[in-house]
């Protein structure tokens, strides 16, 4: 019997391969050359240092939203609300960036902290409702996404500006942008947020694997009733998990607000960072390292896709289809496990 | 402004916004009653909207006045077939159903926009030339007081949606098919022991959810949006899902919840004409449906009981 660790690596890898094959077939069906298409994708992500910088820029929030969703998953919770938590985090970070005047070593941490707190608060609501009243967290987080979107837009229009569609740019003392990183990547928008994201991944790994809290969270995720019987406070763990999850997503908002853009605009729709985070978490098997790898893959696909219409005339949306197919196969890991076992038996 | 005028300016728009949600929520009820969680309702609506708009644009000249009706039928069929992907993944391949639903949402939007770019060379389609129009319902619209409120300037699809909710209730609670479908969602092993094919019932339920989700999406596209782009369906499917849960997995409950959401959504559109609402900042009306849903779930309806086997893949021979 192959170990489950091997499966944990094989299933995502096979899923990605099947996704890429499906994308190639789709390109063939619509009369494109899949090799040209994928070369365009590759060049769009790694073609030169500018594209590489942009890829890392896109990977940054993906790591954070991926961690957010993965963390909740570990407790058996489904955080569809990362999207809203990103928005409130973004807003809070920019707000503090604009409202506070302080040297960078106070200002920047304060703005980042504000994002984490705002996201955490946005996660606290579904958490406490789930724990106290048994309200399904999926519905509450969906509703909070819209609430965050419209509220943030109204605050930008009427509180932070005078009926404008975009806030002022934050001062340098609250910015994660880096002249140095931009210079070595031919002025891409790459920023120090990637360090924040990697640090957050280490934190998640540490909490989950090395602390009592992490043990309890995992235990509750496996079996609520057994955990309760073993004397754990299931309700506290549910709330805490959603708060931490929301804080990670809030940090993704900080990466956008303090790093990539430096301001916040009225959003006509969702950023999709939170929804993509679901896919990242799933592909990363809900572990910190897995999330980093999956976020990198998705960043490559998303940024690389932008080059596909230019270089190979393929619509960039092809990549969304590929991502969807990858998720399908990850979700249907049973069939992949079955196929691998079957294959092994015949090989013997 | 008297009360009749007031109702006349509130009820038709509320019905108008509710119809797509009712259709889709009914689809969700079928799927979840059989034990298959369907977060993919959003994607099924996207697929319905896409097919409805494309068919409408393509065949408007050939089919004339019948175009919107045939468009929604075609959208129903295509979305039902599309939903089988979710069925295969979550029933046969034992996928985590929430995840498979998320994939459905990604896939529908990706395919829809990809094909739109492929066929129309731009990110959105043209406006349809044959959408649904409001009509006055003959005879009923002549009833004093009630006529103008309920039957004038109304979309027929709104009444179709309400009728469907009652039919769905009858099918689920008064027919052997409905009993089997619910049994499969409550206790699949017991149902299996009694000779009901769990897989077959679940496949049919998901197929129905695809059909109704597609119907909801196409009705939304042909009454409200009138074209297809990545921003045509933004969250209506999730609203429908909320209506399913808000309505306690009951067709009439889901209809009631969808009517409520439709009303709440229409508020932000019609508020300008209503005396006590015109001074309320837009944002409060925009977030009202969502906040009210959360409050309602937390307070009014108490613990909602999901079908017992909802979200659990059935594996024959497992206990």
């Amino acid at each position: 019997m192959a170990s489950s660790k091997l499966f944990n690596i094989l299933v995502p890898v096979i899923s990605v391969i099947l996704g890429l094959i499906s994308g190639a077939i789709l390109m063939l069906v619509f009369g494109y050359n899949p090799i040209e298409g994928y070369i365009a994708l590759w060049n769009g992500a790694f073609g030169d240092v500018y594209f590489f910088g942009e890829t890392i820029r896109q990977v940054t929030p993906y790591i954070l939203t991926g961690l957010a969703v993965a963390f909740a998953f570990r407790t058996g919770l489904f955080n569809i609300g990362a999207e809203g938590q990103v928005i409130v985090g973004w807003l809070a970070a920019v707000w503090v960036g604009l409202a506070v005047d302080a040297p960078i070593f106070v200002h920047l941490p304060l703005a980042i902290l504000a994002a984490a707190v705002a996201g955490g608060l946005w996660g606290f609501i579904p958490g406490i409702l789930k724990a106290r009243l048994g309200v399904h967290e999926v519905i509450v987080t969906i509703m909070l996404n819209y609430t965050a979107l419209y509220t943030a837009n109204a605050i930008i229009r009427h509180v932070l500006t005078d009926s404008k569609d975009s806030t002022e740019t934050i001062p340098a003392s609250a910015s994660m942008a880096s002249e140095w990183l931009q210079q070595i990547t031919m002025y891409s928008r790459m920023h120090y947020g990637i360090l924040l994201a990697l640090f957050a991944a280490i934190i998640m790994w540490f909490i989950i694997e090395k602390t009592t809290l992490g043990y309890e969270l995992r235990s509750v995720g496996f079996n609520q009733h057994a955990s309760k019987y073993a004397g754990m406070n299931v309700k506290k763990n549910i709330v805490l998990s959603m708060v931490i999850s929301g804080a990670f997503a809030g940090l993704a908002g900080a990466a956008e607000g303090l790093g990539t853009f430096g301001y916040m605009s009225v959003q006509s729709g969702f950023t999709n960072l939170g929804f993509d985070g679901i896919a990242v978490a799933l592909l990363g098997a809900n572990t910190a390292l897995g999330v980093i790898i999956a976020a990198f893959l998705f960043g490559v696909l998303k940024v690389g896709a932008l080059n596909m219409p230019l270089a190979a005339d393929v619509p960039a949306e092809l990549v969304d289809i590929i991502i969807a197919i990858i998720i399908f196969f990850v979700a249907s890991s049973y069939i992949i496990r079955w196929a691998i076992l079957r294959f092994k038996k015949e090989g013997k | 402004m008297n009360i009749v005028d007031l109702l006349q300016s509130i009820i038709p728009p509320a019905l108008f916004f509710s119809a797509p949600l009712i259709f889709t929520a009914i689809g969700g009820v079928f799927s979840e009653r059989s034990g298959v969680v369907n977060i993919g309702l959003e994607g099924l609506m996207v697929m319905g909207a896409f097919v409805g708009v494309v068919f409408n644009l393509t065949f408007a000249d050939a089919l004339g006045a019948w175009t919107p009706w045939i468009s929604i039928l075609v959208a129903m069929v295509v979305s039902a077939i599309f939903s089988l992907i979710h069925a295969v993944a979550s029933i046969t391949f034992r996928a985590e159903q929430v995840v498979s639903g998320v994939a459905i949402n990604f896939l529908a939007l990706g395919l829809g926009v990809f094909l739109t770019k492929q066929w129309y060379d731009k990110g959105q389609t043209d406006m349809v030339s044959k959408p649904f129009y409001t009509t006055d319902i003959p005879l009923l619209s002549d009833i004093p007081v009630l006529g103008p409120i309920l039957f004038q300037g109304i979309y027929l699809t709104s009444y179709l949606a309400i009728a469907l909710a009652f039919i769905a209730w009858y099918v689920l609670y008064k027919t052997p098919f409905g009993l089997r479908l619910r049994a499969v969602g409550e206790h699949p092993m017991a149902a299996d022991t009694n000779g009901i094919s769990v897989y077959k019932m679940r496949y049919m339920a998901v197929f129905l959810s695809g059909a109704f989700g597609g119907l909801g999406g196409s009705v939304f596209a042909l009454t409200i949006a009138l074209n297809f782009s990545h921003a045509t369906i933004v969250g209506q499917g999730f609203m429908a899902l909320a209506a399913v849960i808000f309505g306690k997995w009951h067709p009439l409950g889901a209809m009631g919840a969808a009517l409520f959401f439709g009303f709440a959504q229409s508020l932000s559109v019609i508020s300008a004409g209503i005396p006590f609402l015109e001074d309320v900042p837009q944002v409060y009306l925009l977030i009202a449906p969502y906040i009210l849903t959360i409050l309602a779930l937390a307070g009014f309806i108490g613990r909602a009981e999901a079908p017992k086997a909802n979200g659990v893949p059935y594996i024959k021979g497992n206990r």
Side-chain angles (χ1 to χ4, degrees), chain B residues 117-138:
Chain B
K117 285 206 172 145
Q118 197 66 38
W119 292 337
Y120 299 94
D121 241 350
K122 52 187 176 180
Q124 60 186 57
T125 65
D126 296 326
M127 290 289 176
V128 292
S129 58
K130 298 264 186 241
F132 284 106
Y133 292 108
T134 54
T135 47
D136 294 350
I137 294 172

Side-chain angles (χ1 to χ4, degrees), chain B residues 23-35:
Chain B
F23 285 125
T24 312
I26 298 297
V29 168
F30 273 102
S31 169
E32 304 227 339
R33 272 287 167 194
S34 81

Side-chain angles (χ1 to χ4, degrees), chain A residues 30 32 78 80 129 133 135 139 142-143 146-147 150 154 275-276 282 315 317 321 324 327-328 331-332 334-335, chain B residues 39 85 93-96 98-100 106-107 110 113 115 117-118 234-235 238 242 245 283 287 290-291 294 297-298:
Chain A
F30 284 95
Y32 303 113
F78 197 53
I80 293 195
L129 288 175
L133 300 164
V135 184
I139 299 301
I142 289 171
M143 297 295 136
Y146 292 98
T147 311
Y150 293 125
F275 297 126
D276 290 341
L282 290 168
E317 283 71 22
I321 301 174
I327 305 173
F328 262 119
S332 312
Y334 157 74
I335 203 72
Chain B
I39 264 188
I85 300 174
F93 291 175
R94 302 174 196 170
E96 165 67 52
V98 174
V99 177
S100 165
F106 273 95
L107 188 61
V113 179
L115 292 175
K117 285 206 172 145
Q118 197 66 38
V234 276
F238 287 118
I245 295 173
V283 60
I287 64 175
Y290 312 110
I291 301 286
I294 294 173
L297 286 170

